[in-house]
Amino acid sequence: MSRTRSVAASALGVNRRTVLAAAGAVSLSAGVGYALRPTESQAATTAPSPGDEAPVARSRQAAGAPLAPYTKGTTVASVAAPRNGSGYRRLGDGPGWKRVVRTELAAPKSGREHRRTVLAAFVQFTDLHLMDVQHPLRLEYLRSHDVHAWRPHEALTVPGAVSLVERVNALRGAPVTGAPLHFVMTTGDNTDNNAHSELEWFMKVMSGGRITPNTGDPRHYEGVQNSGLKLYWQPGSTTRDQDKALGFPHLEDFLAAAVREVRSPGLKLPWYSTVGNHDALPLGCYGSHGDRYLAEAAIGGKKLMSVSAADAKKLQDTIKYAKDPKATGYRDFLKAHARSMRSVTADEKRAPYTRADYLKAHLDPAHQGLGPAGHGYSSANLDADTQYYAFRVSEDVIGISLDTTDAGGHYDGSLGTAQLKWLDRTLKDNKDSYAVVFSHHTSKTMTNTRPDPARPGEKRHGGAEVVSVLSAHANVLAWVNGHIHKNVVTPHKAAGGRSFWEISTASHVDHPQLARVIELTDNKDGTVSLFTTLVESAAPHRTDYADLSQTGLAALYRELAYNAPGANRTLAGGAADRNTELVLKKG
């Protein structure tokens, strides 16, 4: 393989193809078109000529001075940590997380830090779950059975995500190598309820704009947090709800602040998008597109806020065990509880969006930001009704974004035969480039093989088959994903010495609310190292209850998430799942 030039070195020069600034999709087949790359701040619109070499990504110029590690603002430097020992815990600055060298797939060789060259450096966002918290179809009432089914901080997903964008914009280089960061990839569940309102907010968070995270009545919030129900935190009321009993504060102006306008600067890097089950399916689990009753309920003026614990358990069990993938039972459940619903302001912006709507939003020039045009998707995806593509990361690396959601319903995933064959062919056709694969689901959560209603005769394939395909190609370095809201790094080793790392990253909705920087380096000794470094949002670790500004809300978002009743304290993973050096033999 010709893998001699690094991203850092290549970014210093300008060649004819870089000026064109269009990295063609590395392997074209039905539904996969050109993934355009920008140069400087302008996205390209010209695809390369057949046979023309794809350019090196140039989303940020390398500094003229020698590269140096940049750990400021990363979890290597500091991590939010509790300041008190019991009850509701206030956060402050805590010690950073050390880097762990993982050697399961290859033995590291001494002196590699002086030999290595950089192949690529990028950032992964995952599971932002931007929420329209006033949406009529939300399942908050499941909290009467499962306390974690509703989170007290959910109204702050937008300022929280904007603060994460601000963090990435402030990074002046990669944490280990100091190389320029070249792009951000989101690995799905960008939205929460498959609502048009949320999709618009997501696009503006990523590419820049003004966002008012409010639907329904433009004057004030209407939802469970001013319902008077003790089941939920009532921040503006003196009601002794179950969360205040645990120490949650009384914040009189919280809800007014939560629905105020937020301004996102947009990423100062190009960004790509991968689809998740919450993006593709109503409520993340129902294959109910086309259901007229649910579509009208989504934009209507009635909202269910409270059911018995027994009824909540029955509904949650149908979701958990995939007993109602088409939402037939859910529709009947809503009808049976119609008299218990409360009146809210109807809003058409809450309508569910389709796969085509999702693609069109990404292709809309109004949301281009620093590009690339379509953020990986193309008109070919629209024509073929697909949401997977490949793109050129750097001269020596390709990226492959998969669609692992199952349109047949349920929150776990799989791949159709056509996509699995395309993945195999794309890796084979680009055997002279390293490959990083992106998806929403992990290998262990691809167990749902219901037929896609649009392709009823096509077989679906689980995670084990995807691992088998990836293991057959020596050029695969990593499979990067999310979905489980937890940091987990898994080695995959196949016969013949072929191996890759699966990197699953925690969400930005549940504590510890993280994103991950990934650096790929050639150690020039027969090994490759993948460095992973976690980052928090730019919000300060300490909160000030009097500060309900955009930044103050982002800080509060983190603290409330830490204290959420039923919160899983293991989502940060172990030390070996956080800041790492993952060593591989060269393929």
Side-chain angles (χ1 to χ4, degrees):
M1 301 180 191
S2 175
R3 296 171 174 165
T4 58
R5 298 180 64 192
S6 72
V7 168
S10 300
L12 292 170
V14 179
N15 59 38
R16 177 176 60 85
R17 288 177 295 273
T18 303
V19 172
L20 279 176
V26 292
S27 179
L28 298 181
S29 64
V32 182
Y34 291 112
L36 305 178
R37 294 204 62 83
T39 185
E40 313 291 9
S41 60
Q42 184 177 6
T45 57
T46 305
S49 301
D52 198 6
E53 181 184 350
V56 175
R58 296 182 66 253
S59 48
R60 179 178 281 168
Q61 293 292 324
L67 299 177
Y70 189 87
T71 59
K72 182 180 179 182
T74 74
T75 59
V76 172
S78 179
V79 182
R83 291 185 279 145
N84 54 304
S86 61
Y88 181 95
R89 305 177 79 179
R90 306 300 299 274
L91 299 183
D93 298 331
W97 290 329
K98 294 182 179 179
R99 193 171 304 282
V100 175
V101 181
R102 298 280 299 265
T103 61
E104 296 99 312
L105 298 180
K109 299 180 181 180
S110 61
R112 63 193 182 283
E113 65 273 16
H114 304 298
R115 294 187 300 269
R116 68 171 61 109
T117 57
V118 184
L119 299 168
F122 59 89
V123 183
Q124 178 202 10
F125 286 3
T126 195
D127 296 86
L128 295 174
H129 284 278
L130 297 180
M131 295 185 190
D132 181 350
V133 293
Q134 300 170 85
H135 195 289
L137 293 186
R138 298 198 68 228
L139 305 171
E140 297 108 328
Y141 45 79
L142 294 182
R143 200 187 204 212
S144 63
H145 163 65
D146 177 3
V147 70
H148 187 248
W150 176 81
R151 310 170 180 91
H153 55 284
E154 290 180 348
L156 302 181
T157 56
V158 172
V162 170
S163 186
L164 186 61
V165 167
E166 292 171 340
R167 165 62 67 215
V168 171
N169 287 348
L171 296 176
R172 299 306 175 203
V176 174
T177 64
L181 299 172
H182 286 79
F183 66 93
V184 173
M185 169 64 84
T186 74
T187 51
D189 282 5
N190 308 305
T191 65
D192 191 65
N193 303 298
N194 180 244
H196 272 281
S197 51
E198 298 168 340
L199 181 57
E200 179 184 352
W201 301 345
F202 166 66
M203 301 306 299
K204 289 184 177 180
V205 164
M206 300 294 284
S207 290
R210 298 185 178 192
I211 307 153
T212 302
N214 185 31
T215 55
D217 191 328
R219 299 166 298 177
H220 61 83
Y221 168 96
E222 300 173 306
V224 298
Q225 286 192 272
N226 66 353
S227 64
L229 294 168
K230 293 182 180 181
L231 180 63
Y232 311 102
W233 179 43
Q234 305 293 300
S237 165
T238 57
T239 299
R240 185 70 169 170
D241 58 68
Q242 67 180 44
D243 292 310
K244 289 203 192 80
L246 298 175
F248 273 70
H250 170 238
L251 299 175
E252 186 171 348
D253 297 322
F254 175 87
L255 292 176
V259 297
R260 278 202 303 260
E261 181 181 271
V262 173
R263 297 186 182 187
S264 174
L267 285 162
K268 304 307 180 187
L269 295 172
W271 63 274
Y272 289 85
S273 186
T274 295
V275 66
N277 56 291
H278 276 265
D279 304 311
L281 305 175
L283 305 182
C285 59
Y286 290 129
S288 58
H289 280 295
D291 186 302
R292 185 172 179 179
Y293 176 86
L294 293 177
E296 291 180 353
I299 64 175
K302 293 292 183 179
K303 180 175 174 64
L304 184 60
M305 300 188 188
S306 178
V307 301
S308 70
D311 283 353
K313 183 182 187 304
K314 288 178 183 178
L315 180 61
Q316 189 178 58
D317 283 349
T318 66
I319 296 170
K320 182 178 180 180
Y321 300 111
K323 296 178 180 178
D324 186 32
K326 300 297 184 184
T328 303
Y330 174 55
R331 183 181 61 224
D332 293 341
F333 179 90
L334 291 177
K335 290 180 178 180
H337 289 83
R339 292 186 178 181
S340 301
M341 293 182 180
R342 299 192 182 193
S343 294
V344 295
T345 303
D347 195 332
E348 292 187 356
K349 293 192 294 292
R350 295 169 175 156
Y353 60 83
T354 64
R355 194 148 50 188
D357 293 331
Y358 187 77
L359 293 170
K360 289 175 182 177
H362 284 76
L363 291 163
D364 188 341
H367 301 313
Q368 186 163 295
L370 288 191
H375 304 290
Y377 300 116
S378 71
S379 57
N381 289 110
L382 265 177
D383 293 342
D385 190 29
T386 59
Q387 290 179 307
Y388 53 90
Y389 60 90
F391 63 104
R392 175 63 57 182
V393 170
S394 70
E395 189 160 338
D396 298 319
V397 184
I398 62 166
I400 298 174
S401 174
L402 302 177
D403 173 10
T404 56
T405 57
D406 191 327
H410 190 49
Y411 49 75
D412 282 346
S414 57
L415 291 184
T417 297
Q419 187 177 179
L420 189 67
K421 288 183 176 179
W422 169 85
L423 171 63
D424 184 53
R425 185 169 62 251
T426 299
L427 290 168
K428 187 179 301 181
D429 291 347
N430 293 275
K431 62 181 182 297
D432 290 332
S433 292
Y434 291 116
V436 178
V437 177
F438 301 94
S439 73
H440 179 63
H441 293 90
T442 66
S443 59
K444 290 184 178 180
T445 57
M446 292 181 65
T447 58
N448 172 28
T449 55
R450 284 174 179 76
D452 181 344
R455 302 167 178 83
E458 183 182 48
K459 184 181 177 181
R460 304 287 297 185
H461 304 268
E465 291 181 84
V466 177
V467 168
S468 179
V469 168
L470 298 182
S471 298
H473 297 276
N475 55 335
V476 176
L477 299 181
W479 181 4
V480 179
N481 50 45
H483 186 61
I484 57 175
H485 292 209
K486 183 176 182 177
N487 292 318
V488 180
V489 177
T490 305
H492 290 282
K493 189 170 185 177
R498 292 177 175 176
S499 56
F500 67 91
W501 290 96
E502 183 174 356
I503 302 168
S504 307
T505 300
S507 73
H508 202 253
V509 66
D510 288 315
H511 192 270
Q513 295 183 332
L514 300 169
R516 199 188 293 259
V517 180
I518 299 175
E519 303 165 70
L520 314 178
T521 67
D522 184 343
N523 294 325
K524 300 299 182 182
D525 59 11
T527 67
V528 173
S529 286
L530 289 71
F531 293 96
T532 74
T533 307
L534 294 160
V535 295
E536 300 172 293
S537 78
H541 291 156
R542 287 177 178 257
T543 57
D544 177 355
Y545 290 160
D547 180 7
L548 296 180
S549 67
Q550 181 174 317
T551 298
L553 291 175
L556 188 59
Y557 181 53
R558 183 191 294 123
E559 182 171 289
L560 295 174
Y562 180 88
N563 288 282
N568 186 338
R569 296 289 188 216
T570 71
L571 297 182
D577 302 303
R578 302 175 196 164
N579 300 332
T580 68
E581 179 185 358
L582 312 174
V583 188
L584 276 173
K585 291 180 182 179
K586 274 190 180 181

